[in-house]
Amino acid sequence: MAKFKIPKGGYFIWVKLPDNVDTQSLRQAAQKQNVDFNHGALFSHKKGLKNYIRLSFAFYDEDVLAKGARRLGKVILENLS
């Protein structure tokens, strides 16, 4: 199950996936579906956050974000089962 909090500001949202999910591998699968994100380890000085993804919502129209969210959701479901 993915968890997130609605941000109070900024341009990004963090999504926490189950502890066993390696978002670096998940990113490769997502890119094949024409959707992308940054994996959390890029933002951790201790190389933690391996099961987190960081999504930008600042540069895209709402319809593009909705399509990307559907594609990303499908990739996550396919890779969690």
Side-chain angles (χ1 to χ4, degrees):
M1 172 184 291
K3 296 180 182 181
F4 67 94
K5 292 181 182 178
I6 297 174
K8 294 179 181 176
Y11 302 104
F12 302 94
I13 187 167
W14 284 91
V15 179
K16 180 182 180 188
L17 297 172
D19 291 340
N20 63 329
V21 175
D22 177 6
T23 57
Q24 181 62 33
S25 299
L26 185 67
R27 184 175 186 218
Q28 293 172 2
Q31 288 173 331
K32 291 178 184 176
Q33 298 301 318
N34 200 28
V35 66
D36 201 2
F37 59 84
N38 285 312
H39 62 104
L42 292 173
F43 304 95
S44 172
H45 70 282
K46 293 182 180 180
K47 299 298 178 199
L49 305 177
K50 291 184 180 184
N51 59 318
Y52 283 76
I53 61 176
R54 184 179 180 208
L55 301 169
S56 171
F57 56 85
F59 303 107
Y60 305 98
D61 293 329
E62 187 175 336
D63 62 323
V64 174
L65 290 171
K67 288 176 188 175
R70 284 191 292 273
R71 278 189 254 140
L72 181 58
K74 182 179 177 185
V75 169
I76 291 171
L77 285 174
E78 289 172 352
N79 285 273
L80 291 182
S81 49

